[in-house]
Amino acid sequence: MKQPPVFAVVGHPNKGKSSVVATLSQNDAIAIALEPGTTRASQRYPLTVDGKQLYTLTDTPGFQRPRRVLQWLEAHSLSASDHPETVRAFVVQHKGDDRYTDECELLTPIIEGAGIIYVVDGSVPYSAEHEAEMTILRWTGRPSLALINSIGPDDYSDVWQAALGQFFQVVRKFDAVRAPFEKHLSLLRTFGQLEPDWEQPLEEATQRLAEQRNQRQRLAAGMIARALEELMSYQEKRTLTLDQVASTSEATLAETLRDRWYKRQRRREQSLRIDIEHLYQHQRITRQEAELEWANQHDLFSEDTRQHWAVSKKYLATAGFGAGAMGGAGVDALTFGSSLGTGALVGGLIGAAGSYLYGDRLLLPALSIGPLQNGLQSATFGPVQDSQFGYVILGRAVDHWWHISHRNHAGRDLLALEPADHHWLEQLDKTSRREIQRALDRCRKQRTLSESQRQNLTRAIAQAMAVYDNWRLNRG
Ligand SMILES: Nc1nc2c(ncn2[C@@H]2O[C@H](COP(=O)(O)OP(=O)(O)OP(=O)(O)O)[C@@H](O)[C@H]2O)c(=O)[nH]1
Ligand SMILES: [Mg+2]
């Protein structure tokens, strides 16, 4: 069987070679840094989907002495027909020579059959010093493509394009940090055009990657559904001896259980974050996100949090849903906007917000103490009394998923999650909203979902993710 294509990613030091490798091999463990000389040795990074290796990228150190190398090549070549052999001879003769360690490292995969991806920084002006590098690469005779990766804000890509076009079969712009997924796929198809043997494997690679992306989205919806179910239905329990009952006030007990309930909810939310990140092969993200907090004894969320998730008193009042305006409408009617007109409603959030407006309802779970049995008494706290909690969890989870699913593996910046200050759920279809509301209500009452209810919730969440994706992409 033929080996999957290998591409050596080469260029000047510090121009984003490792960033290109990280993004295209979906590997966030690759060292990327501001200092030149970060990559010291060539290293292969295969991309494998469902156990099948689709292609390999080889990260390499940057050229250090390209002019000297070119001089040597010119001095040892008789005609153009021996160029590839002369490059090979250079590597063979200079293995172990400290002056040319980097050149030997970067040329070795190429003389062993890799295609060439030459990376330049389009945000700095073109300079002739690159010509020696490009000439050496041309001498290898391997299929080649140049990528203009822009590190800084300026754009000199036109000049680059003209110069690179003289040395490489294909020149493309590709921002390793920001390029959207579709751009990765089209780049792979372009590689396929460089060499007849690569066309079929790279066509297959693009198909498998597209399928993988859809599958990840489905799996992410399932993970969010599962977490939502657990968070909505979670009950903190404690068994007390008679002594403990006598020595603990109800208020203290409530406080203790509430604390533990909250800690556990936060942990569960964090484990969802990590599961989603791992699903997308992000293993080492530094994330910054406001913790789930509880404002006071009667309320899960501070006014600030409400504001962010579109359930603030102010938003609801300005949207014409002051308590007075509700009249006798029940929470369920509010949920689906059936009697109030959906357009102006805050999407799925309104169900939760509706009950919030009926301010006498306690949003937090309550402490409940069971009957005395065999000298023991059980105290429980939870599940949460209001579906508003579920909507906040859902909103946060979908937002996090969105950032992860659009994050390239070259990204090394902090992932700062800001609350989605927009009523994007308004765009969610009625059936999905109803499905979500129903599931949240079931969870808090019955505490588990049947397999088919879980599937329905997953489907509705997948829909919410699609709506959110659409909203983010269209908001510019
Ligand atoms: N904004 C932005 N920064 C980038 C991009 N690609 C690389 N960088 C930054 O440029 C610097 C160098 O990136 P690397 O990928 O380590 O470059 P390299 O060519 O592998 O560097 P050496 O291994 O040292 O030769 C890092 O600080 C990257 O974060 C990009 O597409 N956009
Ligand atoms: Mg590097």
Side-chain angles (χ1 to χ4, degrees):
M1 216 185 78
K2 277 192 187 140
Q3 289 297 311
V6 180
F7 300 98
V9 181
V10 298
H12 228 57
N14 214 35
K15 298 301 176 203
K17 299 180 296 298
S18 298
S19 301
V20 168
V21 174
T23 286
L24 294 179
S25 66
Q26 299 192 7
N27 187 326
D28 67 350
I30 296 172
I32 290 172
L34 280 171
E35 307 79 46
T38 304
T39 309
R40 304 302 318 174
S42 286
Q43 171 113 25
R44 291 164 66 96
Y45 296 98
L47 181 84
T48 303
V49 174
D50 293 337
K52 184 169 164 75
Q53 227 184 76
L54 301 178
Y55 54 82
T56 295
L57 290 156
T58 303
D59 196 10
T60 68
F63 280 99
Q64 294 296 336
R65 294 188 164 85
R67 284 205 194 90
R68 291 276 175 76
V69 176
L70 189 57
Q71 275 166 14
W72 190 98
L73 295 178
E74 282 165 347
H76 290 80
S77 160
L78 296 174
S79 74
S81 64
D82 68 16
H83 283 177
E85 271 320 303
T86 314
V87 177
R88 184 183 295 275
F90 173 87
V91 174
V92 171
Q93 288 198 23
H94 294 88
K95 277 253 142 80
D97 181 335
D98 291 349
R99 291 170 302 165
Y100 299 110
T101 314
D102 291 345
E103 274 77 9
C104 288
E105 279 290 319
L106 79 94
L107 289 170
T108 298
I110 300 175
I111 59 180
E112 286 172 354
I116 297 168
I117 299 176
Y118 183 64
V119 178
V120 301
D121 179 3
S123 66
V124 297
Y126 170 77
S127 69
E129 63 174 317
H130 293 83
E131 280 168 24
E133 296 173 5
M134 298 194 287
T135 309
I136 297 167
L137 294 173
R138 195 163 57 187
W139 276 49
T140 65
R142 296 299 303 149
S144 65
L145 170 144
L147 289 186
I148 307 176
N149 178 43
S150 284
I151 297 181
D154 297 332
D155 185 12
Y156 296 93
S157 48
D158 287 351
V159 195
W160 275 106
Q161 200 112 28
L164 292 166
Q166 297 174 46
F167 290 86
F168 297 93
Q169 287 160 278
V170 180
V171 181
R172 287 276 181 279
K173 279 197 195 181
F174 184 76
D175 183 324
V177 175
R178 278 176 292 264
F181 180 70
E182 294 67 35
K183 208 70 201 277
H184 305 185
L185 295 189
S186 73
L187 190 61
L188 291 176
R189 286 203 191 91
T190 309
F191 293 160
Q193 288 155 17
L194 292 181
E195 159 93 37
D197 275 0
W198 291 344
E199 191 175 345
Q200 188 278 330
L202 289 171
E203 188 51 43
E204 185 185 342
T206 54
Q207 273 173 26
R208 281 183 181 253
L209 284 171
E211 277 161 27
Q212 179 190 56
R213 190 162 174 82
N214 291 336
Q215 195 198 17
R216 281 178 174 170
Q217 191 155 339
R218 283 194 299 275
L219 291 173
M223 286 174 175
I224 296 174
R226 206 51 204 240
L228 200 56
E229 182 183 345
E230 284 178 38
L231 281 147
M232 277 305 290
S233 58
Y234 185 66
Q235 193 173 45
E236 185 71 44
K237 285 197 193 117
R238 196 168 169 193
T239 307
L240 303 159
T241 61
L242 276 184
D243 283 351
Q244 285 169 326
V245 174
S247 63
T248 320
S249 76
E250 214 169 278
T252 314
L253 188 59
E255 185 77 21
T256 313
L257 289 186
R258 185 165 48 210
D259 263 350
R260 280 168 39 174
W261 185 86
Y262 244 91
K263 275 200 189 98
R264 152 69 208 236
Q265 301 289 54
R266 284 188 188 129
R267 267 207 311 275
R268 182 63 185 88
E269 202 193 30
Q270 285 307 301
S271 75
L272 171 64
R273 298 286 183 272
I274 290 165
D275 288 347
I276 298 278
E277 287 165 11
H278 288 184
L279 177 65
Y280 283 87
Q281 279 173 231
H282 285 288
Q283 313 287 344
R284 37 187 67 70
I285 285 182
T286 317
R287 188 176 349 102
Q288 191 178 63
E289 176 182 29
E291 266 196 330
L292 278 180
E293 33 130 20
W294 108 71
N296 57 52
Q297 264 195 306
H298 301 287
D299 206 347
L300 284 168
F301 306 112
S302 68
E303 184 61 10
D304 248 12
T305 308
R306 281 175 197 297
Q307 198 110 31
H308 289 140
W309 294 104
V311 290
S312 72
K313 287 182 200 170
K314 195 167 141 232
Y315 175 77
L316 292 165
T318 53
F321 295 100
M326 305 280 181
V331 172
D332 288 341
L334 279 170
T335 304
F336 309 119
S338 51
S339 58
L340 293 161
T342 331
L345 294 181
V346 223
L349 291 172
I350 194 69
S355 56
Y356 170 69
L357 287 174
Y358 288 90
D360 49 348
R361 244 175 93 168
L362 209 63
L363 298 179
L364 268 181
L367 176 72
S368 125
I369 299 180
L372 186 66
Q373 268 180 341
N374 306 326
L376 295 173
Q377 217 161 12
S378 77
T380 59
F381 186 82
V384 70
Q385 292 303 295
D386 198 280
S387 51
Q388 177 168 298
F389 180 69
Y391 287 105
V392 173
I393 299 293
L394 176 64
R396 286 160 64 94
V398 170
D399 181 58
H400 170 256
W401 160 80
W402 187 85
H403 281 93
I404 296 304
S405 78
H406 289 276
R407 186 180 173 98
N408 285 342
H409 292 77
R412 294 290 181 276
D413 53 331
L414 175 82
L415 175 60
L417 296 173
E418 302 292 337
D421 202 359
H422 182 86
H423 314 128
W424 57 275
L425 271 178
E426 274 176 28
Q427 281 141 42
L428 185 60
D429 62 281
K430 268 191 183 177
T431 317
S432 302
R433 284 194 223 176
R434 184 172 292 132
E435 207 53 71
I436 293 173
Q437 181 63 40
R438 213 183 271 157
L440 296 181
D441 283 339
R442 275 196 190 113
C443 289
R444 70 189 162 84
K445 287 182 198 143
Q446 295 163 359
R447 310 222 300 271
T448 63
L449 296 181
S450 70
E451 202 40 55
S452 73
Q453 287 166 347
R454 200 169 283 149
Q455 276 171 19
N456 289 343
L457 176 62
T458 301
R459 205 173 307 124
I461 289 178
Q463 208 53 45
M465 288 155 70
V467 165
Y468 190 74
D469 192 36
N470 204 27
W471 169 66
R472 289 294 301 219
L473 296 175
N474 290 328
R475 85 183 178 154

